């Protein structure tokens, strides 16, 4: 997996993506997340990458030419799927992460200030993605979130596939709660089923907790959920009956 992140602040990207699980995956050659400084493609001696907006208004707008030259240097005329991190974009989801994983390589563009010139978007961007209905100072944090979500699914990055297929949102549900030692902490005990050693009962309990948590915290996901087997249907019936 190869991800190029076009940014005005490569230090932000490198400080995070070279650490922990993703950093180790890069060291092993499983993924490559490269921060590329847009200013390196500015044409003036001051490496200017923004200017005042036409039509007036507050703030600065990122210039199209440095963005285009940076993008062109990365793609070398070949089509590479390009994503702009934008508050106007479609919501980022686990399904979108899987779609990006399947591409093998893509480019993330980080806006900053008041945004970037629309002409660059029209010329080079394939889609816009948002990580939520709020506004940040730049696209670097969303870009790292997208890169992390995709890279962790690359084979070998996590110990096994279950490390992500059993987590929240993989199959439209929130994940079940987790517990570790000690068995009793400040008067709160670990559920007995988790201490039973009975694997089938533990699996069923976790599935039920996942469904209950989703119904409580994300009723929109719960309403859209469809049972995958007979056991799911039985658990759903229990939940509806309050048992």
């Amino acid at each position: 997996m190869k991800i190029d992140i076009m940014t005005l602040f490569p230090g932000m990207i490198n400080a995070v993506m070279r650490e922990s699980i993703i950093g180790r995956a890069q060291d092993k050659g499983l993924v490559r997340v490269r921060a590329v400084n847009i200013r390196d493609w500015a044409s003036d001696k001051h490496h200017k990458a923004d200017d005042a907006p036409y039509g007036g208004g507050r703030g600065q707008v990122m210039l199209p030419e440095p963005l285009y030259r940076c993008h062109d240097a990365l793609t070398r005329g070949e089509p590479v799927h390009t994503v702009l991190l934008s508050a106007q974009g479609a919501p980022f989801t686990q399904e979108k992460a899987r779609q990006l994983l399947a591409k093998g390589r893509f480019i993330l563009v980080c806006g900053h200030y008041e945004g970037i010139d629309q002409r660059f978007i029209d010329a080079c961007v394939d889609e816009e993605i948002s990580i939520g209905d709020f506004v940040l100072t730049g696209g670097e944090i969303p870009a790292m979130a997208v890169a992390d979500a995709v890279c962790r699914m690359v084979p070998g990055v996590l110990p096994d596939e279950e490390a992500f297929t059993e987590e929240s949102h993989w199959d439209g549900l929130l994940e079940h709660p987790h517990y570790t030692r000690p068995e009793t902490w400040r008067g709160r005990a670990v559920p007995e089923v988790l201490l039973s050693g009975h694997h089938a009962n533990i699996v069923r309990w976790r599935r039920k907790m996942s469904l209950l948590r989703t119904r409580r915290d994300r009723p929109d996901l719960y309403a859209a959920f469809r049972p995958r087997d007979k056991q799911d249907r039985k658990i759903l019936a229990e939940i509806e009956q309050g048992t």
Side-chain angles (χ1 to χ4, degrees):
M1 170 57 61
K2 296 180 180 180
I3 304 173
D4 291 310
I5 301 179
M6 293 172 50
T7 174
L8 295 176
F9 303 96
M12 291 179 63
I13 306 296
N14 292 329
V16 174
M17 304 309 291
R18 295 300 313 182
E19 295 291 336
S20 188
I21 293 172
I22 305 303
R24 291 195 294 272
Q26 293 209 67
D27 291 339
K28 294 177 182 177
L30 298 172
V31 302
R32 187 207 69 191
V33 182
R34 179 173 59 176
V36 184
N37 194 337
I38 298 165
R39 294 186 189 277
D40 290 344
W41 278 267
S43 57
D44 69 308
K45 65 179 182 179
H46 300 293
H47 302 287
K48 185 177 178 63
D50 58 276
D51 208 332
Y54 278 123
R58 301 176 62 180
Q60 298 287 95
V61 176
M62 291 177 65
L63 295 164
E65 187 61 18
L67 285 161
Y68 181 85
R69 293 175 64 187
C70 179
H71 186 267
D72 189 56
L74 293 174
T75 62
R76 297 181 180 180
E78 297 296 324
V80 180
H81 191 75
T82 301
V83 177
L84 172 65
L85 286 309
S86 164
Q88 291 81 42
F92 184 60
T93 63
Q94 189 66 45
E95 176 57 30
K96 175 54 66 175
R98 289 199 287 261
Q99 292 173 13
L100 293 174
L101 175 68
K103 295 186 180 300
R105 182 194 175 193
F106 57 92
I107 295 171
L108 297 173
V109 182
C110 301
H112 222 82
Y113 311 123
E114 288 302 307
I116 70 177
D117 192 297
Q118 182 65 39
R119 291 168 294 182
F120 170 78
I121 300 174
D122 296 339
C124 300
V125 171
D126 295 299
E127 63 175 325
E128 298 183 45
I129 287 177
S130 168
I131 63 167
D133 294 336
F134 50 86
V135 179
L136 300 172
T137 55
E140 284 74 20
I141 290 174
M144 289 186 284
V146 170
D148 187 286
V150 174
C151 287
R152 69 193 302 274
M153 293 188 291
V154 172
V157 173
L158 297 182
D160 52 63
E161 190 176 272
E162 289 184 357
F164 56 83
T165 60
E166 292 186 354
E167 292 184 333
S168 293
H169 302 294
W170 183 261
D171 62 354
L173 298 175
L174 302 184
E175 191 177 10
H176 58 79
H178 295 275
Y179 299 86
T180 186
R181 293 176 177 80
E183 290 183 18
T184 301
W185 175 78
R186 296 181 180 268
R188 299 172 183 267
V190 174
E192 290 185 10
V193 65
L194 299 179
L195 307 174
S196 68
H198 194 298
H199 180 70
N201 288 349
I202 292 172
V203 169
R204 190 182 194 282
W205 179 87
R206 285 175 170 169
R207 186 67 171 174
K208 188 171 185 177
M209 292 302 103
S210 177
L211 285 160
L212 283 168
R213 175 176 276 182
T214 304
R215 186 178 73 161
R216 182 192 68 195
D217 296 339
R218 290 294 302 273
D220 56 323
L221 296 179
Y222 186 79
F225 176 73
R226 296 296 177 267
R228 65 186 181 188
D229 53 28
K230 183 178 179 180
Q231 178 170 271
D232 268 0
R233 289 190 290 272
K234 188 173 181 180
I235 294 173
L236 287 169
E238 291 175 4
I239 290 173
E240 295 305 317
Q241 294 166 12
T243 60

